[in-house]
Amino acid sequence: MRIYISSDMEGTAGVVDWEQCRPSGSEYGHYRELLLQEVNAAIEGAAAAGAREFLVNDSHSAMSNLRPDRLVHRARYLSGRHKPLYMMQGLDGSFDAVFFVSYHGSMSGAPATLSHTYNPRAIAEVRLNGVPSGEAGINALVALGRRVPIVLITGDDVTAAQIEPFCPGIRAAVVKSSVSRFAADSLHPEQAREVITQAADAAVRGLAEARLPAITLPATLTVRFRNADLAEMTTWLNGVDREDELTVTLRDDDPVRLYRTFVTLVLLTRGIAE
């Protein structure tokens, strides 16, 4: 049994500030260790349920946040910034399940700790088939295309609620409750790891009932930007249509191709985002 793990960082218990999850921050080393322990907790839970192979795709910031020698069960480690499939690089049909570890809420939803959707300087809102979506829902497009179910998400309570429309029945390990964008009530790290381990164990044991993401194809991503210049720039891409001054749409019957177009859009806008 093979498990694919996409790990972010903002959803880690105790993380509430950008400086805690940026390498330039004075406390980054401490919170980097907490993230590693939560990733390992997910691996341990899955291993207890019978999983034997793991690939961890480091998906936060420069994508080199984990210590590969500290990953348990000899998990493979995919790191580095230039990835064609970005947060979902390395996922293929050989995997049995996907875990999203330390994920966060969307830019436009309910108050969620360190909420953003790929690029907080450029993107104000993303909707997937008309439903507000964060990174988890957008990333589910690749899981659908590769035909692998997403069975676990860890992070705050808002993030757990936001993935539910796209992955009904997904198990959520809620390790903190969001108070605002920069405040949360977190479990003690040891308890957070226990919650993650138990949820991962249960998710793998329930694989027989797991289903692919519930995303109707062809799918449409509607992206609202923070200013009109950003929206205009994205129309340089084939398949991106202007809806109004701030909003564009992308539509495709291939979910992986749709995701790749979206990622290209995000990277393009970083050139002029404030």
Side-chain angles (χ1 to χ4, degrees):
M1 188 183 299
R2 309 184 73 217
I3 305 297
Y4 175 91
I5 299 173
S6 173
S7 65
D8 210 340
M9 188 170 182
E10 291 88 352
T12 302
V15 170
V16 293
D17 190 272
W18 297 121
E19 292 305 305
Q20 294 171 332
C21 50
R22 288 175 175 163
S24 60
S26 60
E27 294 186 90
Y28 167 74
H30 172 71
Y31 290 96
R32 174 189 190 186
E33 175 67 20
L34 294 183
L35 168 64
L36 173 69
Q37 292 175 6
E38 290 195 3
V39 170
N40 278 342
I43 294 174
E44 293 285 13
R52 291 294 174 263
E53 294 185 36
F54 304 90
L55 172 61
V56 179
N57 178 25
D58 192 327
S59 301
H60 174 70
S61 187
M63 302 185 179
S64 56
N65 304 281
L66 303 176
R67 287 277 304 273
D69 61 317
R70 299 274 309 283
L71 290 170
V72 296
H73 292 278
R74 295 189 173 184
R76 288 160 47 212
Y77 181 50
L78 202 169
S79 59
R81 285 178 292 175
H82 183 62
K83 300 173 183 172
L85 284 181
Y86 211 72
M87 298 181 78
M88 299 300 285
Q89 185 66 37
L91 179 64
D92 60 34
S94 70
F95 288 92
D96 296 283
V98 172
F99 289 0
F100 288 160
V101 174
S102 193
Y103 267 51
H104 56 81
S106 72
M107 188 68 167
S108 62
T113 309
L114 298 181
S115 61
H116 62 282
T117 307
Y118 271 87
N119 183 0
R121 295 178 179 179
I123 296 176
E125 180 186 58
V126 176
R127 290 178 176 263
L128 175 53
N129 288 345
V131 179
S133 175
E135 292 174 7
I138 297 167
N139 295 350
L141 287 165
V142 180
L144 176 62
R146 299 295 190 241
R147 303 198 65 77
V148 184
I150 304 167
V151 299
L152 175 70
I153 189 166
T154 82
D156 68 284
D157 53 334
V158 176
T159 302
Q162 288 180 345
I163 188 63
E164 183 67 26
F166 309 107
C167 300
I170 188 174
R171 292 192 182 268
V174 175
V175 299
K176 59 187 176 185
S177 298
S178 291
V179 175
S180 69
R181 194 163 183 242
F182 297 105
D185 180 352
S186 296
L187 299 178
H188 186 280
E190 290 181 2
Q191 187 178 3
R193 294 193 291 271
E194 291 172 359
V195 169
I196 292 170
T197 298
Q198 292 167 5
D201 183 305
V204 172
R205 294 185 191 279
L207 264 181
E209 288 76 44
R211 298 292 178 265
L212 295 177
I215 301 171
T216 302
L217 298 176
T220 300
L221 286 173
T222 305
V223 185
R224 180 164 55 86
F225 292 95
R226 294 181 61 182
N227 64 62
D229 288 349
L230 292 163
E232 169 61 26
M233 176 177 278
T234 66
T235 62
W236 301 351
L237 297 174
N238 288 332
V240 178
D241 297 315
R242 195 75 171 264
E243 189 169 284
D244 59 37
E245 287 298 319
L246 299 177
T247 310
V248 301
T249 58
L250 305 73
R251 183 177 174 85
D252 207 315
D253 56 5
D254 182 333
V256 176
R257 188 167 57 206
L258 178 60
Y259 176 82
R260 292 188 64 154
T261 302
F262 174 78
V263 168
T264 303
L265 173 155
V266 170
L267 295 176
L268 186 64
T269 58
R270 284 181 178 167
I272 63 169
E274 295 177 359

Short mmCIF file of all heavy atoms in Angstrom, two decimals, residues 177-201:
data_model
loop_
_atom_site.label_atom_id
_atom_site.label_comp_id
_atom_site.label_asym_id
_atom_site.label_seq_id
_atom_site.Cartn_x
_atom_site.Cartn_y
_atom_site.Cartn_z
N SER A 177 -8.26 25.42 16.32
CA SER A 177 -9.47 26.14 15.93
C SER A 177 -9.10 27.58 15.64
O SER A 177 -8.49 28.26 16.49
CB SER A 177 -10.51 26.09 17.06
OG SER A 177 -10.89 24.76 17.33
N SER A 178 -9.45 28.03 14.46
CA SER A 178 -9.09 29.40 14.07
C SER A 178 -9.92 30.42 14.84
O SER A 178 -11.14 30.28 14.98
CB SER A 178 -9.30 29.59 12.57
OG SER A 178 -8.35 28.85 11.84
N VAL A 179 -9.25 31.44 15.34
CA VAL A 179 -9.90 32.57 15.99
C VAL A 179 -9.98 33.73 15.00
O VAL A 179 -11.00 34.40 14.89
CB VAL A 179 -9.12 32.99 17.26
CG1 VAL A 179 -9.72 34.25 17.87
CG2 VAL A 179 -9.10 31.85 18.27
N SER A 180 -8.90 33.94 14.28
CA SER A 180 -8.84 34.95 13.24
C SER A 180 -7.74 34.51 12.28
O SER A 180 -7.21 33.40 12.39
CB SER A 180 -8.51 36.32 13.83
OG SER A 180 -7.17 36.34 14.30
N ARG A 181 -7.38 35.39 11.35
CA ARG A 181 -6.33 35.03 10.39
C ARG A 181 -4.96 34.89 11.07
O ARG A 181 -4.07 34.23 10.55
CB ARG A 181 -6.27 36.08 9.28
CG ARG A 181 -5.46 35.62 8.06
CD ARG A 181 -5.74 36.48 6.85
NE ARG A 181 -5.02 35.97 5.68
CZ ARG A 181 -4.10 36.66 5.02
NH1 ARG A 181 -3.78 37.89 5.41
NH2 ARG A 181 -3.49 36.14 3.97
N PHE A 182 -4.82 35.51 12.23
CA PHE A 182 -3.53 35.47 12.91
C PHE A 182 -3.65 35.02 14.36
O PHE A 182 -2.84 35.41 15.21
CB PHE A 182 -2.85 36.83 12.83
CG PHE A 182 -2.53 37.24 11.42
CD1 PHE A 182 -3.28 38.20 10.78
CD2 PHE A 182 -1.49 36.64 10.72
CE1 PHE A 182 -3.00 38.58 9.47
CE2 PHE A 182 -1.20 37.00 9.42
CZ PHE A 182 -1.96 37.97 8.78
N ALA A 183 -4.65 34.17 14.64
CA ALA A 183 -4.80 33.63 15.99
C ALA A 183 -5.53 32.30 15.91
O ALA A 183 -6.41 32.10 15.07
CB ALA A 183 -5.58 34.60 16.88
N ALA A 184 -5.15 31.37 16.79
CA ALA A 184 -5.79 30.06 16.83
C ALA A 184 -5.64 29.45 18.21
O ALA A 184 -4.69 29.76 18.95
CB ALA A 184 -5.18 29.12 15.78
N ASP A 185 -6.57 28.59 18.54
CA ASP A 185 -6.52 27.80 19.77
C ASP A 185 -6.01 26.41 19.38
O ASP A 185 -6.74 25.63 18.77
CB ASP A 185 -7.92 27.72 20.38
CG ASP A 185 -7.98 26.92 21.66
OD1 ASP A 185 -6.97 26.28 22.03
OD2 ASP A 185 -9.04 26.91 22.30
N SER A 186 -4.75 26.12 19.68
CA SER A 186 -4.11 24.89 19.22
C SER A 186 -4.04 23.83 20.31
O SER A 186 -3.87 24.15 21.50
CB SER A 186 -2.67 25.18 18.75
OG SER A 186 -2.66 26.04 17.64
N LEU A 187 -4.13 22.59 19.88
CA LEU A 187 -3.84 21.48 20.77
C LEU A 187 -2.36 21.51 21.14
O LEU A 187 -1.53 22.05 20.40
CB LEU A 187 -4.16 20.15 20.10
CG LEU A 187 -5.60 19.89 19.67
CD1 LEU A 187 -5.69 18.53 18.97
CD2 LEU A 187 -6.53 19.94 20.87
N HIS A 188 -2.02 20.90 22.28
CA HIS A 188 -0.62 20.71 22.59
C HIS A 188 -0.01 19.86 21.47
O HIS A 188 -0.67 18.95 20.95
CB HIS A 188 -0.47 19.98 23.94
CG HIS A 188 0.94 19.86 24.41
ND1 HIS A 188 1.80 18.89 23.93
CD2 HIS A 188 1.66 20.60 25.30
CE1 HIS A 188 2.97 19.02 24.51
NE2 HIS A 188 2.92 20.05 25.34
N PRO A 189 1.22 20.11 21.05
CA PRO A 189 1.81 19.35 19.95
C PRO A 189 1.74 17.83 20.12
O PRO A 189 1.51 17.11 19.14
CB PRO A 189 3.26 19.84 19.92
CG PRO A 189 3.17 21.25 20.42
CD PRO A 189 2.11 21.22 21.48
N GLU A 190 1.91 17.34 21.33
CA GLU A 190 1.82 15.89 21.53
C GLU A 190 0.42 15.38 21.25
O GLU A 190 0.23 14.34 20.61
CB GLU A 190 2.24 15.53 22.96
CG GLU A 190 3.72 15.72 23.24
CD GLU A 190 4.08 15.34 24.66
OE1 GLU A 190 3.18 14.88 25.41
OE2 GLU A 190 5.26 15.49 25.04
N GLN A 191 -0.59 16.13 21.71
CA GLN A 191 -1.97 15.72 21.46
C GLN A 191 -2.31 15.86 19.98
O GLN A 191 -3.02 15.02 19.42
CB GLN A 191 -2.94 16.55 22.30
CG GLN A 191 -4.39 16.06 22.19
CD GLN A 191 -5.34 16.85 23.06
OE1 GLN A 191 -4.95 17.81 23.73
NE2 GLN A 191 -6.60 16.44 23.06
N ALA A 192 -1.79 16.91 19.34
CA ALA A 192 -2.03 17.09 17.90
C ALA A 192 -1.51 15.88 17.13
O ALA A 192 -2.17 15.36 16.23
CB ALA A 192 -1.35 18.36 17.41
N ARG A 193 -0.33 15.41 17.49
CA ARG A 193 0.25 14.25 16.81
C ARG A 193 -0.59 12.99 17.05
O ARG A 193 -0.76 12.17 16.15
CB ARG A 193 1.69 14.04 17.25
CG ARG A 193 2.60 15.18 16.81
CD ARG A 193 4.06 14.83 16.96
NE ARG A 193 4.49 14.73 18.34
CZ ARG A 193 4.96 15.75 19.06
NH1 ARG A 193 5.02 16.96 18.52
NH2 ARG A 193 5.38 15.57 20.28
N GLU A 194 -1.11 12.86 18.25
CA GLU A 194 -1.98 11.71 18.55
C GLU A 194 -3.24 11.74 17.69
O GLU A 194 -3.65 10.71 17.14
CB GLU A 194 -2.35 11.71 20.03
CG GLU A 194 -1.19 11.40 20.97
CD GLU A 194 -1.57 11.61 22.44
OE1 GLU A 194 -2.73 12.01 22.71
OE2 GLU A 194 -0.69 11.39 23.30
N VAL A 195 -3.83 12.93 17.55
CA VAL A 195 -5.04 13.08 16.73
C VAL A 195 -4.74 12.72 15.27
O VAL A 195 -5.52 12.02 14.61
CB VAL A 195 -5.59 14.51 16.84
CG1 VAL A 195 -6.67 14.78 15.80
CG2 VAL A 195 -6.14 14.76 18.24
N ILE A 196 -3.60 13.18 14.77
CA ILE A 196 -3.22 12.90 13.39
C ILE A 196 -2.96 11.41 13.18
O ILE A 196 -3.42 10.81 12.20
CB ILE A 196 -1.99 13.73 12.99
CG1 ILE A 196 -2.36 15.21 12.93
CG2 ILE A 196 -1.42 13.27 11.65
CD1 ILE A 196 -1.16 16.14 12.77
N THR A 197 -2.25 10.80 14.10
CA THR A 197 -1.95 9.37 13.98
C THR A 197 -3.23 8.54 13.95
O THR A 197 -3.39 7.63 13.12
CB THR A 197 -1.06 8.90 15.14
OG1 THR A 197 0.20 9.61 15.08
CG2 THR A 197 -0.77 7.41 15.06
N GLN A 198 -4.15 8.85 14.84
CA GLN A 198 -5.42 8.10 14.89
C GLN A 198 -6.23 8.30 13.63
O GLN A 198 -6.81 7.35 13.09
CB GLN A 198 -6.22 8.55 16.12
CG GLN A 198 -5.58 8.14 17.45
CD GLN A 198 -6.21 8.85 18.64
OE1 GLN A 198 -7.20 9.58 18.51
NE2 GLN A 198 -5.63 8.64 19.81
N ALA A 199 -6.27 9.53 13.12
CA ALA A 199 -7.04 9.80 11.91
C ALA A 199 -6.41 9.12 10.69
O ALA A 199 -7.12 8.59 9.83
CB ALA A 199 -7.13 11.31 11.67
N ALA A 200 -5.09 9.11 10.62
CA ALA A 200 -4.41 8.45 9.49
C ALA A 200 -4.64 6.95 9.52
O ALA A 200 -4.88 6.32 8.48
CB ALA A 200 -2.91 8.76 9.54
N ASP A 201 -4.58 6.37 10.69
CA ASP A 201 -4.86 4.94 10.86
C ASP A 201 -6.26 4.62 10.37
O ASP A 201 -6.49 3.70 9.56
CB ASP A 201 -4.69 4.56 12.33
CG ASP A 201 -4.89 3.08 12.59
OD1 ASP A 201 -5.95 2.53 12.23
OD2 ASP A 201 -3.99 2.44 13.18
#
